[in-house]
Amino acid sequence: MRNLTPASITEAFAEYAKNAPSARTLTLLVSLADHLHSFVRDNRVTFTEWMAGIDALTKAMEFTDDKRNEYILFSDLLGVSSLVDMVNAATTGTPSSVLGPFHIEGAPELANGGDLWRGQVGEPLVVCGTVKDAQGAPAKGTVLALWQNGGNGLYSQQDKAVSPTNYHARLTVADDGSFAYSTVRPISYTVPDDGPAGDMLRVLGREAWRPAHLHMIIQAPGHKPLITEFFPEDDKYLDRDAVFGVRSPLVLPFKRVSDRAELPKNLAARDSLPLPVWTARIDLTLPAA
């Protein structure tokens, strides 16, 4: 196409791509080009500013490996990861949230009532609850994938002093849908900010903090996996989560219990946990199948 103008370049892009074999790919990429072209036009982006963006993406490659993906971090910090989650989320049941970078496939099995804390650094936490389907019946056969950071704020992939699967587990709920386990109370932490994504935070005057949270993937027969996370209501970063993952129904009271009789009877560490101990109750409702 000849005689291109700032107003016609998007139309030219769409014309060049009209023979794309996938209609969905065509729609996505033409829309992407349209938004990018509008961004450049609306903001009259300079060559220097354009190069700064290219340099940031190039530098991101230096920070990306099998343990860290700087491009996903950019997506998280720009709110794109959370937005993708929200536009695809079910409208019923417990809300979903972002997956995060630290999930491990094939984590060790943990018996219902089992202990993940094992006396490690940090304050112990007892988690219990139920999983029910959309009709309120126990979701028999549900498996919970659990993971979180340790009492030092690090996930196992970041901490060379612990097992690669520390605070990662798979727990099968009881036939009545109930579950319980002991772990450490998670703490707030900062996402990696030593790369170009961190540079972006600094030029925006933003923080890198995430509020403390417990990750879960709920895998129930006949249902799509539900990816979510739960936050203590007393965390000071709830309203400025760097990756926009907080949803109001996922914010829970963490309470202190001084009487062992109030702890789940099937808890393996019930008689050895130091009192008072933190507790959290998580009652999950699966979205309609």
Side-chain angles (χ1 to χ4, degrees), residues 12-261:
F13 181 92
E15 174 65 21
Y16 292 172
K18 66 182 180 181
N19 294 322
S22 166
R24 176 62 174 169
T25 299
L26 175 64
T27 297
L28 291 174
L29 291 180
V30 169
S31 179
L32 175 63
D34 186 11
H35 284 73
L36 289 173
H37 295 167
S38 294
F39 172 79
V40 173
R41 286 190 297 263
D42 294 347
N43 294 282
R44 300 190 65 83
V45 174
T46 67
F47 182 79
T48 300
E49 291 164 340
W50 173 76
M51 278 303 303
I54 296 297
D55 288 344
L57 294 176
T58 302
K59 189 178 179 182
M61 292 189 292
E62 301 172 13
F63 289 83
T64 299
D65 55 27
D66 59 342
K67 293 184 179 180
R68 172 176 171 179
N69 190 314
E70 194 75 2
Y71 297 99
I72 292 179
L73 184 56
F74 266 122
S75 175
D76 292 345
L77 298 177
L78 286 165
V80 175
S81 303
S82 188
L83 184 57
V84 170
D85 167 64
M86 289 188 284
V87 300
N88 288 281
T91 56
T92 61
T94 299
S96 60
S97 189
V98 292
L99 176 65
F102 296 115
H103 173 57
I104 293 176
E105 292 289 347
E109 297 292 329
L110 179 72
N112 199 345
D115 180 36
L116 289 175
W117 179 52
R118 302 188 304 276
Q120 297 182 76
V121 172
E123 299 179 281
L125 167 71
V126 174
V127 181
C128 65
T130 57
V131 186
K132 296 182 178 180
D133 64 21
Q135 288 72 47
K140 181 179 178 180
T142 295
V143 176
L144 306 177
L146 312 170
W147 73 103
Q148 63 172 94
N149 66 357
N152 59 0
L154 299 176
Y155 285 85
S156 60
Q157 295 95 321
Q158 301 171 304
D159 190 350
K160 296 180 180 179
V162 301
S163 161
T165 59
N166 196 44
Y167 290 121
H168 293 259
R170 288 171 56 82
L171 184 155
T172 301
V173 306
D175 287 350
D176 64 357
S178 66
F179 65 91
Y181 65 98
S182 50
T183 184
V184 72
R185 176 169 175 152
I187 65 173
S188 308
Y189 66 94
T190 56
V191 299
D193 62 353
D194 55 338
D199 293 338
M200 180 187 72
L201 290 180
R202 282 182 283 278
V203 300
L204 291 172
R206 284 180 52 189
E207 299 174 306
W209 284 95
R210 288 220 68 199
H213 53 274
L214 300 166
H215 287 281
M216 276 192 193
I217 299 178
I218 300 90
Q219 299 165 301
H223 293 78
K224 294 180 179 179
L226 170 62
I227 300 168
T228 193
E229 52 188 342
F230 298 92
F231 305 85
E233 66 180 7
D234 59 353
D235 195 289
K236 65 181 180 179
Y237 296 107
L238 287 174
D239 294 314
R240 52 186 195 270
D241 179 11
V243 307
F244 308 96
V246 178
R247 317 279 183 264
S248 291
L250 303 179
V251 178
L252 306 173
F254 279 35
K255 300 178 180 179
R256 304 204 82 170
V257 167
S258 299
D259 186 351
R260 294 192 194 279

